[in-house]
RNA sequence: GCCGACAUAGCUCAGCGGUAGAGCAGCUGUUUCGUAAACAGCAGGUCCUCGGUUCAAAUCCGAGUGUCGGCUCCA
């Protein structure tokens, strides 16, 4: 069960967010406990810009209360690129409401109300918010009081900030007055649970953004629209890579070009794995539930598994490969000399993700993972993990990404002998230290059966994504499936099982690459690497001949034999983001040459004319070396 | 799963009680062209599904499905 993030949104949330709501950073930066009263009050204002963003949230709350007097206030923190505020309202907000709220906010900014900090005695503060029918604020105060009592510290005063007619419970800091607020824009309204708890009331969250000056705001809005253009769901249609259909929600239909990318990524990974001594296996998709009972997943995770009843027996579609890999390991007696045994598997997995969470390729119900299970002796673990980190670096270099590593340690809900855990963590840490380079530590973020190394990347838009994972499992597979090998002394020993996925989910990986490259893939990965463009019909035959030469060098080439003009063919190839356009007219054919136009070439870029064989060699080299534009 | 929005031609969208529209793509014909859109014609739709209101529903109402923005979850 290599625990890839099938789903999991990237760490800084997408688009409408570009926002990172802070809470997602938990663990990474040791943020306060989710939804704690301190955090709710603190509102994330740590810089001047944050203070302004948080102040803007206050102004927005003022506007909302003004327009909807019975509104109950949740919290309104600063977040990456902006702010939000949660409200309980009598009716759902519409885009027209946002415009009206913006207008009121502008009036408040124009009035330049000073922000005034006041301290009230605890009971006075509570009474104030009770009187104003603000139960969420009262709850925060009650929590603070309860915590003070538990700590034996004195009852804290209630800090409020006023600006104009509006008073809010808040620790601050704020800008001096509403006039200091820069250009802002409200972006979206969405639902959010009070304190992130689905059992608590559902509030309406308004997201907004605010910047020091108009240029910064414009730049941000431009980034947003760029991100939208790169959206893999949009490019997937435009580039004819995949589609989704309601007959199988959350599962992609791969079109020929998307499938070509898939096969290319897989082929490259297989080459790496062959070199590293992996042996590829394949295990059944439909599996009896007793397997999951043995592994410990049934009962805990069966909600996420698709069940299939067959002749009154319960089966499920596998949500992970790992338990089945042990059947192959156990199919014969293993010697210490046999280890490490490295099994790879491109297994098709199904996870029943909740309907509201599905999203394009990055959150799916069916996906294929470049999974691997490596069985090692304890003395081999550190070397193997170090080698795996190298595999990750190599694979990510093919697409020009630099992986960052995070060491996730034993969670509270862990199973197994604490001594085994200590040993596993020490070995993983040793491997990370030896592999050099920095890594973050994410305490208690391991899986319930293994400490792990999670791999992150930043894409071309600076967004962080969690990708690969490496897990050192001394407990689940080895113990629950009773794995053994015979050591030098003829004694039975437990191997360690490493679960690892490098691309992770191929679906998700491709989705991220689409956005990272904005669809303009490097040559080696592009589904169509070159289009031959005959200028007139009489050049078609030579075009096919040229395509044949290139295909013989292992390149993916098409010939545009349509009756369109050359200009139109170029435009089409450009829109399809084909790396090379090969233009063939009388002049070129005469010398068995071709005019080479690079995708996205500048207007004044000098164009080369190359012989066919020289071109084939050049492109083949570029492909082999995974060159990136 | 929860809150909200949306669903019209292959794609992008207009129409919002009174006989279904455009651009692009497609097809046919003409054009054979030198670095990002030749010209003309034709064809293309259970207006997501099911129910309801109405003389009349793409349009209003309800339910379902899917998608989108978030929330929650993520072995």
């Amino acid at each position: 069960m290599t625990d890839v993030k099938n789903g999991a949104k990237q760490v800084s949330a997408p688009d409408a967010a570009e926002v990172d709501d802070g809470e997602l950073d938990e663990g990474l930066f040791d943020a306060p406990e989710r939804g704690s009263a301190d955090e709710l009050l603190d509102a994330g204002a740590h810089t001047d810009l944050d203070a302004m963003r948080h102040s803007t949230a206050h102004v927005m709350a003022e506007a909302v209360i003004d327009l909807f007097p019975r509104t109950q206030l949740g919290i309104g923190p600063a977040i990456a690129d902006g702010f939000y505020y949660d409200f309980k309202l009598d009716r759902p907000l519409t885009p027209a409401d946002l415009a009206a709220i913006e207008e009121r906010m502008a009036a408040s900014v124009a009035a330049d109300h000073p922000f005034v900090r006041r301290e009230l005695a605890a009971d006075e503060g509570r009474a104030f918010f009770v009187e104003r029918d603000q139960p969420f604020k009262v709850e925060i105060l009650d929590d603070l009081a309860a915590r003070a009592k538990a700590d034996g510290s004195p009852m804290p005063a209630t800090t409020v900030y006023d600006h104009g007619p509006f008073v809010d419970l808040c620790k601050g800091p704020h800008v001096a007055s509403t006039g200091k607020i820069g250009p802002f824009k409200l972006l979206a309204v969405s639902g959010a649970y009070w304190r992130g708890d689905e059992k608590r009331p559902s509030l309406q969250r308004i997201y907004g953004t605010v910047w020091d000056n108009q240029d910064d705001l414009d730049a941000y809005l431009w980034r947003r629209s760029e991100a939208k253009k790169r959206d893999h769901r949009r490019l997937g249609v435009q580039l004819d890579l995949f589609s989704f259909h309601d007959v199988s929600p959350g599962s992609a239909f791969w079109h020929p070009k998307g499938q070509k990318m898939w096969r290319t990524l897989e082929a490259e990974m297989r080459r790496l794995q062959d070199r590293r001594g992996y042996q590829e296996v394949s295990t059944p998709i439909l599996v009896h539930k007793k397997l999951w009972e043995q592994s410990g997943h049934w009962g805990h995770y069966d909600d996420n598994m698709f069940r299939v009843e067959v002749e009154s027996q319960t089966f499920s579609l596998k949500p992970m490969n790992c338990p089945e890999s042990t059947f192959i390991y156990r199919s014969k007696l293993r010697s210490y000399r046999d280890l490490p045994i490295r099994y790879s598997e491109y297994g098709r997995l199904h996870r029943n993700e909740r309907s509201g969470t599905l999203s394009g390729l990055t959150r799916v119900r069916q996906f294929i993972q470049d999974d691997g299970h490596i069985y090692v002796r304890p003395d081999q673990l550190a070397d193997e993990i170090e080698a795996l980190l190298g595999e990750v670096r190599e694979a990510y270099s093919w697409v020009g990404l630099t992986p960052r590593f995070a060491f996730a340690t034993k969670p509270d809900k862990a199973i197994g002998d604490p001594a085994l855990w200590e040993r596993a963590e020490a070995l993983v840490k040793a491997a990370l230290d030896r592999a050099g380079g920095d890594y973050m530590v994410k305490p208690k973020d391991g899986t319930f059966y293994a400490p792990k190394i999670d791999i992150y990347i930043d894409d071309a838009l600076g967004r962080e994504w969690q990708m690969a994972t490496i897990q050192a499992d001394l407990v689940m597979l080895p113990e629950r499936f009773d794995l053994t090998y015979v050591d030098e002394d003829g004694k039975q020993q437990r191997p360690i099982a490493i679960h690892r996925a490098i691309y992770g989910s191929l679906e998700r990986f491709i989705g991220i690459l689409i956005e990272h490259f904005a669809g303009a893939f490097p040559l080696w990965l592009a589904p169509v690497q070159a289009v031959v463009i005959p200028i007139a019909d009489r050049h078609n035959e030579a075009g096919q001949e040229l395509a044949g030469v290139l295909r013989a060098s292992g390149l993916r080439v098409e010939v545009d034999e349509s009756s369109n003009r050359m200009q139109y063919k170029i435009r089409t190839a450009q829109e399809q983001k084909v790396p090379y356009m090969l233009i063939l007219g009388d002049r070129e054919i005469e010398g068995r040459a071709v005019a080479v136009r690079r995708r996205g070439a500048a207007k004044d870029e000098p164009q080369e004319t190359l012989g066919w064989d020289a071109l084939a060699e050049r492109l083949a080299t570029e492909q082999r070396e995974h060159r990136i534009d």
Side-chain angles (χ1 to χ4, degrees):
Chain A
M1 121 184 36
T2 310
D3 159 30
V4 293
K5 291 282 170 182
N6 148 37
K9 75 185 75 176
Q10 75 258 41
V11 173
S12 46
D15 196 25
E18 284 297 321
V19 264
D20 173 342
D21 73 9
E23 294 172 350
L24 290 167
D25 279 343
E26 271 181 359
L28 280 179
F29 305 109
D30 207 12
E33 177 193 343
R34 166 183 295 245
S36 74
D38 260 356
E39 186 190 15
L40 295 178
L41 253 185
D42 177 35
H46 302 299
T47 68
D48 289 351
L49 192 56
D50 283 345
M52 183 177 76
R53 287 176 170 157
H54 176 51
S55 300
T56 314
H58 275 228
V59 170
M60 180 167 77
E62 174 204 353
V64 169
I65 294 241
D66 200 32
L67 290 164
F68 306 95
R70 282 154 38 100
T71 301
Q72 295 177 347
L73 300 173
I75 59 164
I79 54 177
D81 300 326
F83 59 90
Y84 68 79
Y85 212 118
D86 289 343
F87 305 101
K88 185 148 177 22
L89 292 155
D90 295 335
R91 67 163 178 86
L93 291 167
T94 65
D97 293 326
L98 288 193
I101 293 166
E102 275 186 350
E103 215 168 291
R104 305 294 313 206
M105 291 170 68
S108 179
V109 169
D112 197 18
H113 301 298
F115 279 95
V116 179
R117 178 190 160 97
R118 285 192 291 137
E119 279 192 12
L120 310 176
D123 53 342
E124 197 187 342
R126 187 177 193 283
F128 178 86
F129 288 103
V130 168
E131 188 189 322
R132 305 212 161 193
D133 189 27
Q134 293 296 344
F136 302 116
K137 300 295 185 188
V138 173
E139 183 178 325
I140 293 170
L141 288 173
D142 287 348
D143 276 11
L144 283 174
R147 179 183 291 198
K149 197 169 171 191
D151 294 352
S153 50
M155 198 61 73
T158 301
T159 318
V160 298
Y161 273 81
D162 302 359
H163 75 268
F166 180 76
V167 184
D168 198 357
L169 174 65
C170 184
K171 248 176 14 184
H174 281 279
V175 292
S177 66
T178 57
K180 305 287 185 206
I181 286 172
F184 60 87
K185 186 170 168 56
L186 302 186
L187 299 172
V189 50
S190 70
Y193 300 113
W194 170 239
R195 292 190 153 181
D197 181 345
E198 63 183 319
K199 294 185 187 67
R200 309 295 307 268
S202 190
L203 310 178
Q204 295 187 64
R205 174 172 299 177
I206 304 177
Y207 285 99
T209 188
V210 57
W211 298 84
D212 287 327
N213 54 65
Q214 189 66 38
D215 282 353
D216 285 359
L217 174 64
D218 290 346
Y220 169 69
L221 294 176
W222 184 83
R223 282 209 311 278
R224 260 172 76 89
S225 71
E226 273 307 292
K228 218 170 188 168
K229 281 188 213 156
R230 286 171 177 250
D231 189 318
H232 72 275
R233 292 167 299 199
R234 178 195 177 93
L235 285 168
V237 173
Q238 194 185 317
L239 303 179
D240 196 17
L241 301 175
F242 58 84
S243 53
F244 284 89
H245 302 278
D246 62 6
V247 292
S248 188
S251 303
F253 287 65
W254 288 95
H255 297 201
K257 287 179 184 170
Q259 187 67 15
K260 181 57 79 178
M261 291 183 63
W262 191 305
R263 284 185 47 184
T264 304
L265 285 165
E266 228 176 49
E268 213 60 23
M269 184 57 74
R270 285 200 167 107
R271 245 198 296 282
L272 185 156
Q273 288 172 344
D274 287 348
R275 215 166 63 224
R276 283 267 301 129
Y278 283 81
Q279 300 167 281
E280 189 167 329
V281 299
S282 179
T283 62
I285 288 174
L286 190 61
V287 193
H288 197 283
K289 76 167 184 191
K290 64 188 178 190
L291 178 73
W292 311 112
E293 286 168 344
Q294 187 175 1
S295 70
H297 293 95
W298 201 263
H300 290 293
Y301 305 108
D302 52 333
D303 278 356
N304 290 326
M305 290 157 76
F306 290 103
R307 294 178 181 219
V308 183
E309 301 294 328
V310 183
E311 294 184 350
S312 78
Q313 300 281 307
T314 302
F315 289 73
S316 89
L317 302 180
K318 66 175 170 183
M320 64 205 69
N321 299 306
C322 49
E324 289 187 89
S325 134
T326 66
F327 286 79
I328 299 172
Y329 180 90
R330 286 179 296 162
S331 64
K332 58 183 178 184
L333 213 51
R334 303 292 177 178
S335 153
Y336 70 98
R337 297 170 192 273
D338 297 332
L339 304 182
I341 292 174
R342 303 184 182 95
Y343 291 137
S344 62
E345 174 163 18
Y346 294 84
R348 186 173 291 250
L349 306 182
H350 293 81
R351 295 181 185 179
N352 188 9
E353 306 288 353
R354 293 160 82 171
S355 56
T357 64
L358 301 176
S359 176
L361 291 177
T362 49
R363 181 68 170 201
V364 291
R365 283 188 171 146
Q366 178 191 259
F367 58 101
I368 293 182
Q369 198 174 290
D370 65 322
D371 209 352
H373 299 95
I374 303 174
Y375 299 91
V376 295
R377 303 190 306 258
D379 66 277
Q380 295 170 323
L381 180 70
D383 280 348
E384 191 65 25
I385 287 181
E386 195 180 350
L388 283 168
L389 297 177
E391 283 181 31
V392 171
R393 285 203 181 94
E394 178 177 351
Y396 282 62
S397 76
W398 302 334
V399 287
L401 294 170
T402 306
R404 287 183 286 110
F405 303 112
F407 177 34
T409 59
K410 182 184 174 190
D412 292 332
K413 57 173 183 175
I415 59 169
D417 182 353
L420 283 179
W421 270 93
E422 240 172 76
R423 193 158 156 223
E425 287 186 350
L427 289 168
V428 172
K429 186 171 185 310
L432 274 166
D433 289 335
R434 268 173 48 191
D438 295 332
Y439 60 90
M440 297 177 280
V441 178
K442 297 173 70 177
K444 298 187 179 186
D445 202 46
T447 75
F448 70 88
Y449 56 84
K452 60 175 180 171
I453 301 171
D454 284 329
I455 287 96
Y456 294 84
I457 59 104
D458 292 327
D459 74 7
L461 259 39
R463 298 172 301 184
E464 182 180 71
W465 299 87
Q466 183 180 337
M467 312 293 283
T469 187
I470 299 170
Q471 305 165 1
D473 174 11
L474 276 62
V475 177
M476 194 201 38
L477 296 187
E479 297 281 340
R480 295 211 166 204
F481 291 91
D482 192 25
L483 305 184
T484 58
Y485 64 90
V486 180
D487 70 11
E488 297 97 312
D489 302 324
K491 290 206 193 95
Q492 302 254 310
Q493 299 290 349
R494 282 255 183 269
I496 296 171
I498 301 172
H499 309 240
R500 44 112 284 174
I502 292 186
Y503 293 143
S505 144
L506 266 291
E507 273 78 358
R508 184 175 143 86
F509 192 74
I510 291 175
I512 290 167
L513 289 185
I514 291 171
E515 304 205 357
H516 175 64
F517 289 114
F521 304 109
L523 182 81
W524 75 272
L525 187 55
V528 177
Q529 297 173 308
V531 173
V532 178
I533 298 180
I535 290 178
D537 286 354
R538 66 175 179 281
H539 308 123
N540 284 354
E541 202 181 322
Q544 290 296 353
E545 212 185 316
L546 168 58
V549 168
L550 296 171
R551 286 180 188 135
S553 293
L555 295 158
R556 300 183 286 273
V557 184
E558 287 180 359
V559 183
D560 187 345
E561 291 190 318
S562 68
S563 68
N564 293 307
R565 297 169 62 206
M566 178 197 61
Q567 280 86 339
Y568 189 89
K569 294 178 182 178
I570 289 172
R571 180 184 150 86
T572 304
Q574 201 70 251
E575 279 177 345
Q576 288 298 305
K577 301 176 191 282
V578 177
Y580 286 97
M581 284 148 270
L582 306 174
I583 293 158
L584 212 49
D586 294 329
R587 292 205 299 262
E588 288 77 17
I589 291 171
E590 201 178 330
R592 205 175 157 80
V594 64
V596 180
R597 186 190 215 272
R598 284 185 34 229
R599 168 184 64 198
K603 285 239 185 295
D604 53 353
E605 186 169 307
Q607 200 165 51
E608 270 188 295
T609 297
L610 284 177
W612 293 3
D613 295 329
L615 174 69
E617 199 184 316
R618 181 188 289 191
L619 297 193
T621 303
E622 184 176 337
Q623 163 158 267
R624 193 170 51 246
E625 293 177 353
H626 303 110
R627 224 172 279 165
I628 293 170
D629 307 344

